[in-house]
């Protein structure tokens, strides 16, 4: 057989389709090139006889072999054979574990460290954390970015997080009134006939609600191994004293349990166990991240150092030192397990303490600084941009699952509260998709009633139905609560008032949420009051109120600037109201009221007589309060409109005859906070009143005088049946003073007003102007002022005040 195929390349190409591809496109350098030069040599050879048969056999075998090899090769784009390189084998990277210690506010430093790890393309395969580290680590485990975390921790109100009270805007109007009148943070309860005292630690309701909102995307994840980054956090079993490692469960509950800081938050209850802060037993859980599979550990230790001798001068200092000693011991034990390839990051936080939450930005900055200093070591763990992008794709953020439809709502755990009222307040729509934002708003409203320590919720499956289960923990102190207040004022001119106040609230008198309130005030002002407040429906959108009070207050009579007499005014009243609440921020009431006054001279010449007066009629009362603070409001407004119409009966001294008058009374008070910037704001207030009576009365006139009520004038110096008053007060925040309760302010006021006996006397040209300068503080006991005031008449006075002006 002639080798026509070898003489004619086109015939060869047709007979062996693989050859052109192998000749030009082969990318396997191990195969010998089938070149044109070799084909030329074959064409020039003319074998004969046996040689030809052996040659044909060889060519056939070669073609079959080349065809089989070609079929096994993947199709690749054409490239010169000499440019193809054999890739070097890829080195397997070690699994990296990130360990974040506890340390209160110091734990915010972790965010700065993580920011640098991401910038350097360092992957994290496992996270183990404790206390504040568990919050940062948990958020990072669900793929919250450092930028997101920084925005969160620098914008939230940490004061609210470390409080059991909801934001003031979420309080019911009645709770706002109670907070205003009884500012002391001391509350005692009465339950089953037993007096229960202050618990001494926060329940952490606000923190837990906040963490649930941040981690809601992980609500459906029960095993923490299923998070974008596998996660563990440590708490302390307060019964056994051993570490409890969270591997599953609601993520927000694990974070909250791990951060049950001793002395601040009460222990958490989970899975039948009482859990405290994990820092007591394992503040730097290196052992746990190794057990998860970490081959290289990056440990960030920001624990609080031991205090100096000079700091151990109080029970608080000694207690804190005991906790620090326990923490330091277990941290040292964990540090001893570090291996040569591990990396320890220990930021220098200077004077920043575990309570310096207002320094969040500085903590984060220092975390970045120390991590960048460790860059040469960290670089050994860095990936290429392409490899890090692949790592991120393999660890995606948990996708938001479609909201399940709520087929039913079930309230559990109530003893006194009516589940139907709770369900109505939550406003969850059955047969509608679950709305977590709406549920959280409902929870805030429930906390605003002051009746609950903790409220949690979960979605459950019941056959083919899904439902919302709300777990309610009522206040263990209740259902009766007692709060206290103090009032003190002196003008350093002989006028000093002091009063001690107490108010008791009995909640859930019946299934519709009736309340019975009682107040007592002792001091220069003596008062006792009671009210029974009855909602008429589960929705609590209409209520009735029956009330009565008796009080005795001093009343001073002036001639110019000279006090000429002192009376004691006894007031007894009773009434019935029908009302409606307005958006939880206010209420409107209307009903009959009866008031009896008796004014008896205590310091006066004989010509001053006793006055007895009775007012009977109907009253309209409209009130609104959405201020952010009851004493130093930066924003929001308070409005109080009181309109009365009826008859007035008056008897003077021992005279047998009585005088009868038609009586109309209209009183308006309003004030509003006007923010200027973060540290400056104004308070603008107006007050006006009119008593349409023919004969002036000393028992219930409008009064002016005293600090911020025409400062410089004596207390109650002006009195009349008509009143007009306005003021603008400027506040500048000097500092945050947590030891006294809140902020310290400097400020001043401009005021104008007067009181007149008749409408004809009232005139804008007759207004008295005044002003003041002061230091003020928002304290645990209430608002405090040290002030100096001066009026246009030349009168001036210094004031020391604890209580609302």
């Amino acid at each position: 057989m002639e080798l026509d195929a070898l003489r004619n390349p086109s015939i060869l190409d047709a007979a062996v389709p693989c050859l052109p591809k192998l000749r030009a496109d082969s990318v396997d350098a191990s195969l010998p090139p089938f070149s044109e030069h070799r084909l030329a040599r074959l064409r020039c050879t003319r074998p004969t006889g046996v040689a030809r048969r052996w040659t044909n056999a060889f060519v056939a075998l070669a073609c079959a072999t080349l065809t089989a090899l070609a079929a096994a090769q993947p199709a690749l784009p054409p490239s010169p054979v000499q440019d193809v390189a054999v890739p070097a084998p890829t080195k397997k990277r070690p699994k990296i574990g990130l360990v974040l210690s506890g340390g209160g506010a110091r734990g915010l430093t972790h965010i700065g460290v993580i920011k640098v790890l991401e910038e350097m393309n360092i992957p994290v395969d496992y996270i183990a954390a404790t206390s504040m580290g568990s919050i940062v680590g948990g958020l990072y485990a669900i793929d919250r970015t450092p930028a997101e975390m920084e925005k969160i921790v620098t914008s939230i109100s940490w004061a609210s997080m470390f409080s059991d009270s909801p934001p003031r805007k979420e309080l019911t109007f009645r709770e706002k009134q109670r907070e205003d009148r009884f500012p002391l943070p001391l509350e005692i309860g009465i339950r089953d006939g037993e007096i229960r005292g202050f618990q001494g630690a926060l329940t952490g309701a606000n923190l837990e609600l906040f963490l649930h909102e941040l981690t809601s995307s992980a609500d459906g994840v029960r095993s923490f191994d299923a998070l974008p980054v596998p996660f563990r956090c440590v708490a302390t079993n307060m019964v056994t004293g051993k570490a409890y490692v969270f591997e599953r469960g609601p993520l927000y509950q694990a974070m909250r349990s791990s951060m049950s800081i001793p002395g601040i938050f009460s222990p958490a209850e989970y899975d039948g166990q009482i859990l405290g802060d994990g820092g007591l037993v394992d503040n730097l859980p290196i052992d746990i991240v190794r057990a998860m599979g970490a081959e290289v550990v990056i440990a960030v230790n920001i624990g609080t150092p031991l205090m100096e001798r000079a700091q151990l001068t109080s029970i608080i200092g000694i207690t804190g030192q005991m906790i620090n000693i326990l923490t330091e011991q277990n941290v040292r034990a964990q540090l001893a397990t570090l291996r040569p390839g591990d990396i320890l990051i220990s930021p220098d936080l200077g004077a920043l303490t575990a309570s310096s939450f207002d320094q969040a930005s500085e903590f984060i900055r220092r975390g970045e600084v120390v991590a960048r200093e460790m860059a040469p070591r960290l670089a050994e763990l860095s990936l290429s941009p392409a490899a890090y992008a692949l790592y991120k794709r393999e660890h995606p953020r948990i996708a938001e699952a479609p909201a399940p439809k709520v087929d039913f709502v079930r309230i559990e755990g109530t003893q006194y509260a009516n589940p139907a009222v709770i369900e109505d307040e939550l406003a969850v729509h059955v047969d509608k998709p679950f709305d977590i934002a709406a549920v959280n708003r409902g929870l805030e409203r429930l906390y605003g009633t002051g009746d609950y320590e903790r409220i949690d919720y979960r979605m459950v499956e019941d056959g083919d139905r899904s439902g919302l289960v709300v777990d309610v923990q009522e206040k263990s102190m209740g259902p009766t609560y007692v709060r206290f207040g103090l009032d003190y004022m002196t003008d350093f001119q002989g006028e000093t008032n002091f009063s001690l106040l107490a108010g008791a609230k009995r909640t859930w008198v019946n299934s519709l949420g009736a309340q019975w309130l009682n107040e007592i005030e002792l001091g220069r002002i003596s008062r006792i009051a009671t009210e029974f407040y009855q909602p008429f429906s589960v929705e609590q959108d209409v209520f009735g109120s029956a009330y009565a009070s008796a009080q005795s207050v001093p009343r001073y009579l002036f001639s110019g600037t000279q006090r000429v007499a002192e009376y004691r005014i006894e007031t007894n009243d009773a009434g019935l109201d029908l009302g409606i609440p307005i958006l939880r921020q206010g209420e409107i009431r209307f009903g009959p009221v009866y008031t009896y006054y008796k004014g008896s001279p205590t310091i006066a010449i004989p010509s001053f007589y006793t006055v007895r007066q009775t007012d009977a009629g109907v009253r309209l009362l409209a009130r609104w309060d959405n201020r952010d603070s009851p004493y130093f409001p930066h924003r929001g407004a308070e409005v109080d409109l009181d309109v009365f119409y009826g008859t007035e009966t008056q008897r003077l001294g021992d005279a047998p005859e009585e005088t009868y008058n038609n009586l109309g009374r209209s009183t308006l008070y309003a004030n509003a906070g006007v923010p200027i910037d973060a540290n400056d704001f104004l308070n603008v207030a107006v007050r006006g009143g009119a008593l349409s009576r023919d004969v002036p009365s000393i028992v219930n006139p409008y009064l002016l005088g005293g600090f911020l009520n025409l400062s410089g004038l004596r207390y109650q110096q002006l009195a009349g049946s008509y009143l007009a008053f306005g003021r603008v007060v400027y506040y500048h925040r000097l500092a945050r003073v947590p030891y006294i309760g809140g902020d310290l302010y400097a400020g001043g006021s401009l005021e104008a007003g007067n009181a007149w006996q008749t409408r004809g006397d009232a005139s804008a040209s007759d207004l008295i102007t005044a002003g003041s300068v002061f230091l003020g503080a928002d304290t645990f006991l209430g608002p405090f002022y040290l002030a100096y005031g001066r009026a246009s008449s030349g009168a001036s006075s210094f004031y020391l005040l604890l209580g609302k002006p």
Side-chain angles (χ1 to χ4, degrees):
M1 175 181 177
E2 297 289 332
L3 294 179
D4 296 330
L6 295 179
R7 295 191 187 100
N8 189 340
S10 62
I11 296 176
L12 180 64
D13 291 346
V16 188
C18 68
L19 290 182
K21 183 174 184 178
L22 290 171
R23 185 173 62 228
D25 302 338
S26 175
V27 293
D28 191 341
S30 64
L31 293 177
F34 203 80
S35 63
E36 289 289 345
H37 174 69
R38 293 189 178 185
L39 285 174
R41 292 182 61 186
L42 286 172
R43 291 189 189 107
C44 296
T45 305
R46 295 179 178 271
T48 58
V50 175
R52 179 182 298 175
R53 288 194 297 269
W54 279 102
T55 299
N56 287 340
F58 170 76
V59 171
L61 178 62
C63 288
T65 301
L66 291 172
T67 301
L69 289 173
Q73 297 299 315
L76 298 174
S79 60
V81 173
Q82 60 268 27
D83 293 339
V84 176
V86 179
T90 303
K91 181 182 178 181
K92 181 183 178 182
R93 72 170 182 85
K95 295 293 185 180
I96 299 172
L98 178 64
V99 180
L100 305 178
S101 78
R106 296 163 69 92
L108 300 176
T109 310
H110 296 315
I111 299 174
V113 174
I114 293 174
K115 183 184 292 187
V116 174
L117 296 183
E118 289 223 326
E119 290 176 0
M120 296 184 66
N121 295 340
I122 296 174
V124 174
D125 300 289
Y126 310 102
I127 300 173
T130 299
S131 197
M132 189 65 194
S134 71
I135 292 181
V136 176
L139 293 177
Y140 193 51
I142 61 172
D143 200 31
R144 286 276 192 171
T145 67
E148 288 175 323
M149 288 189 280
E150 182 172 10
K151 182 178 179 181
I152 291 168
V153 301
T154 57
S155 61
I156 67 170
S157 170
W158 287 103
S160 297
M161 291 300 102
F162 292 96
S163 168
D164 281 341
S165 298
R168 192 171 189 272
K169 65 182 178 66
E170 298 299 342
L171 295 178
T172 63
F173 177 73
R174 297 175 61 78
E175 279 300 297
K176 289 176 184 176
Q177 286 187 304
R178 189 164 176 259
E179 178 191 71
D180 194 343
R181 186 158 174 78
F182 306 104
L184 270 66
L186 174 64
E187 184 176 59
I188 61 175
I190 301 174
R191 189 183 186 99
D192 300 327
E194 176 187 351
I195 296 178
R196 303 195 176 192
F198 180 59
Q199 292 181 320
L202 302 172
T203 64
N206 284 343
L207 177 63
E208 187 168 313
L209 191 63
F210 179 68
L211 293 176
H212 196 175
E213 184 175 356
L214 291 179
T215 62
S216 60
S217 62
D219 278 356
V221 178
R222 284 296 173 257
S223 171
F224 292 166
D225 287 333
L227 296 173
V229 180
F231 174 70
R232 301 286 187 273
C233 68
V234 184
T236 301
N237 186 315
M238 301 303 289
V239 176
T240 65
K242 296 181 180 180
Y244 182 89
V245 181
F246 277 92
E247 301 178 356
R248 61 182 62 250
L251 179 60
Y252 71 95
Q253 287 187 3
M255 296 157 72
R256 157 68 179 91
S257 299
S258 181
M259 197 184 168
S260 298
I261 302 172
I264 297 180
F265 291 122
S266 59
E269 293 188 27
Y270 178 78
D271 196 23
Q273 302 181 74
I274 300 176
L275 302 176
D277 193 282
L280 298 174
V281 291
D282 198 351
N283 200 48
L284 191 68
I286 296 172
D287 54 340
I288 292 173
V289 84
R290 285 206 200 281
M292 295 173 72
E295 298 166 310
V296 173
V297 172
I298 302 175
V300 187
N301 179 30
I302 46 80
T304 303
L306 297 179
M307 290 183 280
E308 302 292 337
R309 180 186 180 92
Q311 297 173 284
L312 304 179
T313 57
S314 67
I315 186 64
I316 296 176
I318 294 294
T319 302
Q321 187 78 327
M322 292 170 59
I323 296 171
N324 292 343
I325 290 172
L326 290 173
T327 301
E328 184 66 18
Q329 288 178 343
N330 68 63
V331 166
R332 288 177 181 173
Q334 290 295 319
L335 291 176
T337 68
L338 289 175
R339 301 168 184 172
D342 298 331
I343 299 174
L344 174 63
I345 300 176
S346 298
D348 178 10
L349 300 179
L352 296 174
T353 69
S355 62
S356 302
F357 284 93
D358 57 340
Q359 299 293 316
S361 296
E362 179 61 17
F363 280 120
I364 295 171
R365 187 192 68 80
R366 295 200 184 195
E368 290 184 61
V369 169
V370 71
R372 296 190 201 287
E373 292 173 354
M374 301 293 292
R377 290 284 314 277
L378 292 171
E380 299 172 6
L381 304 175
S382 180
L383 299 180
S384 68
Y388 190 71
L390 178 61
Y391 157 80
K392 282 294 189 181
R393 287 196 298 271
E394 292 173 347
H395 299 77
R397 176 172 293 193
I398 299 173
E400 293 286 349
K405 188 182 71 169
V406 179
D407 296 313
F408 62 89
V409 177
R410 188 166 67 241
I411 310 297
E412 298 180 347
T414 59
Q415 180 176 351
Y416 296 98
N418 184 350
V421 174
I422 296 175
E423 184 175 343
D424 180 76
E425 193 67 70
L426 284 174
V428 176
H429 298 290
V430 176
D431 294 329
K432 298 287 185 181
F434 176 64
D435 186 343
I436 185 173
V439 170
N440 284 340
R441 289 193 298 270
L443 294 180
E444 289 180 344
R445 290 192 296 269
L446 287 170
Y447 279 126
T449 65
D451 296 339
Y452 308 101
E453 280 185 4
R454 181 175 175 272
I455 310 173
D456 194 15
Y457 64 88
R458 64 187 187 275
M459 292 297 297
V460 298
E461 300 295 329
D462 185 2
D464 58 351
R465 303 167 70 236
S466 59
L468 178 69
V469 175
V470 180
D471 296 307
V472 176
Q473 183 179 342
E474 297 171 351
K475 281 189 174 180
S476 58
M477 297 169 60
T480 300
Y481 309 96
V482 182
R483 293 192 61 165
F484 302 92
L486 285 174
D487 276 338
Y488 176 81
M489 186 278 292
T490 180
D491 62 1
F492 300 100
Q493 298 185 57
E495 180 58 41
T496 300
N497 290 327
F498 174 79
S499 294
L500 174 65
L501 301 89
K505 178 182 72 168
R506 169 66 164 91
T507 62
W508 293 103
V509 178
N510 54 43
S511 62
L512 293 179
Q515 297 181 357
W516 185 25
L517 293 92
N518 294 279
E519 296 181 7
I520 186 170
E521 182 173 355
L522 301 174
R524 291 281 284 174
I525 298 176
S526 299
R527 180 175 182 268
I528 185 170
T530 187
E531 180 192 15
F532 191 84
Y533 177 90
Q534 177 65 68
F536 290 140
S537 67
V538 167
E539 294 77 16
Q540 300 191 333
D541 50 5
V542 179
F543 65 85
S545 171
Y547 61 90
S549 70
Q551 69 176 13
S552 175
V553 301
R555 166 81 171 91
Y556 307 118
L557 303 183
F558 286 83
S559 176
T561 61
Q562 185 67 36
R563 183 189 296 176
V564 296
E566 179 179 330
Y567 270 67
R568 198 75 188 175
I569 308 298
E570 298 176 17
T571 305
N572 304 284
D573 68 353
L576 294 171
D577 282 339
L578 182 67
I580 58 172
I582 307 173
L583 300 176
R584 300 173 61 87
Q585 310 294 338
E587 64 178 20
I588 297 176
R589 295 171 171 236
F590 179 80
V593 60
Y594 172 90
T595 307
Y596 170 76
Y597 302 94
K598 179 182 179 182
S600 305
T602 55
I603 302 176
I605 60 177
S607 59
F608 286 88
Y609 42 76
T610 298
V611 177
R612 294 174 177 84
Q613 180 177 308
T614 300
D615 296 347
V618 293
R619 181 185 69 162
L620 172 68
L621 183 62
R623 297 182 288 185
W624 174 269
D625 184 359
N626 68 345
R627 297 168 298 163
D628 59 355
S629 165
Y631 310 119
F632 299 92
H634 292 61
R635 52 179 54 82
E638 176 189 19
V639 179
D640 194 322
L641 175 65
D642 189 341
V643 179
F644 171 87
Y645 183 78
T647 61
E648 177 184 87
T649 304
Q650 190 177 90
R651 177 182 294 178
L652 304 179
D654 296 326
E657 68 275 5
E658 295 180 336
T659 59
Y660 298 88
N661 300 289
N662 290 326
L663 177 63
R665 181 181 65 236
S666 300
T667 305
L668 173 67
Y669 173 74
N671 80 76
V674 182
I676 299 174
D677 55 33
N679 294 314
D680 301 270
F681 62 96
L682 300 175
N683 181 259
V684 181
V686 295
R687 185 155 68 99
L691 279 165
S692 60
R693 56 156 57 107
D694 298 329
V695 180
S697 173
I698 67 170
V699 297
N700 64 341
Y702 295 113
L703 302 171
L704 274 177
F707 177 55
L708 295 185
N709 289 281
L710 291 182
S711 301
L713 299 186
R714 301 289 298 278
Y715 177 63
Q716 297 186 354
Q717 183 173 332
L718 301 180
S721 296
Y722 295 85
L723 175 140
F725 173 76
R727 71 178 181 229
V728 177
V729 187
Y730 166 73
Y731 292 88
H732 171 71
R733 186 175 69 170
L734 296 174
R736 176 79 177 172
V737 190
Y739 301 107
I740 66 171
D743 294 328
L744 179 67
Y745 298 95
S749 68
L750 295 175
E751 308 156 38
N754 207 341
W756 303 273
Q757 291 296 347
T758 67
R759 180 181 296 179
D761 295 335
S763 171
S765 62
D766 200 24
L767 293 177
I768 298 172
T769 58
S772 71
V773 292
F774 59 81
L775 286 175
D778 193 0
T779 76
F780 290 119
L781 302 179
F784 171 84
Y785 291 92
L786 177 62
Y788 171 77
R790 187 174 183 86
S792 57
S793 63
S796 64
S797 184
F798 286 94
Y799 302 96
L800 181 65
L801 189 75
L802 178 63
K804 196 171 181 179

